[in-house]
Amino acid sequence: MARKSEEVRNREQRERQQKLRDADRKARRPNRDDIARTALFMTISSMAARDAKEVLEDFQDRVVRMLVEQGFDERESDILFEELVAKYRTGDWPFRRKAHLLHPEDPDRDA
């Protein structure tokens, strides 16, 4: 049996991934990034509300260290983490609503 070309394999992979994303959207299933974003918000805003500066700094150090181990720039990682802390410190929900989840029958509706 002849081997599929890279172009065909890539196209089939894109199609499989799109079907999975569509099924997840229809099932209103969060993805890894949705959960991670929510968990990070909860963690940072909770630490900020308790004024747990040392705990938050330790958490930041560990997160940045792990990012650096992955190859990210330490300074840029620290800057972005600080920006997130500033944004999440208020406790206000900083994410856009997912109108397509709130009104799946009318995905163009802005809730």
Side-chain angles (χ1 to χ4, degrees):
M1 183 167 161
R3 191 175 154 111
K4 294 180 184 177
S5 73
E6 184 175 350
E7 182 180 328
V8 170
R9 284 193 318 271
N10 289 342
R11 187 190 74 237
E12 290 174 350
Q13 178 67 18
R14 281 191 305 274
E15 290 169 358
R16 280 191 303 275
Q17 289 172 341
Q18 187 61 53
K19 284 180 185 177
L20 286 171
R21 285 191 300 272
D22 290 345
D24 285 349
R25 188 175 298 116
K26 185 175 182 181
R28 296 171 37 166
R29 182 176 190 262
N31 65 28
R32 177 190 62 207
D33 291 341
D34 295 319
I35 292 171
R37 199 173 16 258
T38 301
L40 184 61
F41 168 75
M42 288 176 56
T43 301
I44 291 174
S45 61
S46 172
M47 289 177 189
R50 292 192 327 257
D51 204 25
K53 293 176 186 166
E54 288 181 20
V55 176
L56 183 55
E57 287 174 5
D58 180 55
F59 181 64
Q60 178 175 348
D61 290 344
R62 290 183 311 183
V63 169
V64 168
R65 188 169 42 250
M66 292 176 77
L67 291 167
V68 170
E69 288 172 4
Q70 294 176 58
F72 291 101
D73 181 79
E74 182 174 8
R75 183 172 178 275
E76 292 298 326
S77 298
D78 257 328
I79 289 169
L80 182 55
F81 196 97
E82 290 289 339
E83 289 172 357
L84 288 173
V85 169
K87 185 176 186 178
Y88 295 175
R89 184 175 299 281
T90 65
D92 293 334
W93 189 248
F95 309 115
R96 293 186 330 215
R97 291 181 300 180
K98 306 278 184 162
H100 68 280
L101 298 176
L102 298 172
H103 304 285
E105 70 284 350
D106 186 7
D108 294 327
R109 179 179 172 182
D110 185 20

